[in-house]
Amino acid sequence: MSYPFVTFVAMTTTQLQLGADGENLAARWYVDAGYRIVDRNWRCRNGEVDLILERPGELVFCEVKTRSSQRYGHPVEAVTPLKARKVRQLAAVWMAHHPGGGRTVRFDVAGVIGGEVIVAQSAF
């Protein structure tokens, strides 16, 4: 059966490496800012959260977007409302499996371009 409205795009090794490098840079940014990495690339059947971090009283779910150029805009702009909703849903699943209340929850987007990390805190 054919689905003309669905496009499958295979990522190249270069693209995968670019994404992994971007996530490493974003993770380093958070560690340098005093956060502890709780989870990386946490997956469940509904999707994946790139970084889950904490510091006293605060839990952060971070979507990392890495680009090689700004040809199509800044990477932070690549997080759509649909993706933001998905990350919030995944965060609820993660928190249900990792109880520990009393923390504020924040959703960030880390944009990485040319080795530079820009973090939009409380992006959604």
Side-chain angles (χ1 to χ4, degrees):
M1 176 176 258
S2 171
Y3 297 98
F5 53 87
V6 176
T7 303
F8 296 96
V9 179
M11 293 185 71
T12 66
T13 303
T14 304
Q15 289 169 314
L16 292 172
Q17 188 61 53
L18 180 68
D21 291 346
E23 286 183 11
N24 288 335
L25 287 170
R28 172 57 47 203
W29 185 93
Y30 278 102
V31 168
D32 290 348
Y35 291 84
R36 182 179 78 81
I37 298 170
V38 176
D39 247 321
R40 287 186 72 161
N41 304 114
W42 178 81
R43 289 181 175 93
C44 69
R45 66 186 177 111
N46 298 325
E48 175 185 348
V49 177
D50 295 329
L51 296 172
I52 303 171
L53 312 116
E54 72 176 355
R55 61 182 180 184
E58 189 173 35
L59 184 63
V60 178
F61 294 87
C62 180
E63 175 69 15
V64 180
K65 292 293 183 184
T66 307
R67 300 289 183 267
S68 58
S69 74
Q70 290 194 50
R71 182 177 184 168
Y72 300 105
H74 196 278
V76 170
E77 299 169 330
V79 177
T80 65
L82 180 64
K83 180 62 176 182
R85 186 173 75 216
K86 175 68 99 176
V87 173
R88 286 192 299 268
Q89 291 169 343
L90 292 168
V93 172
W94 187 92
M95 289 186 295
H97 288 84
H98 300 84
R103 300 183 279 192
T104 61
V105 176
R106 193 176 80 211
F107 298 93
D108 292 358
V109 177
V112 182
I113 189 162
E116 180 183 7
V117 179
I118 295 176
V119 176
Q121 295 183 354
S122 299
F124 55 88

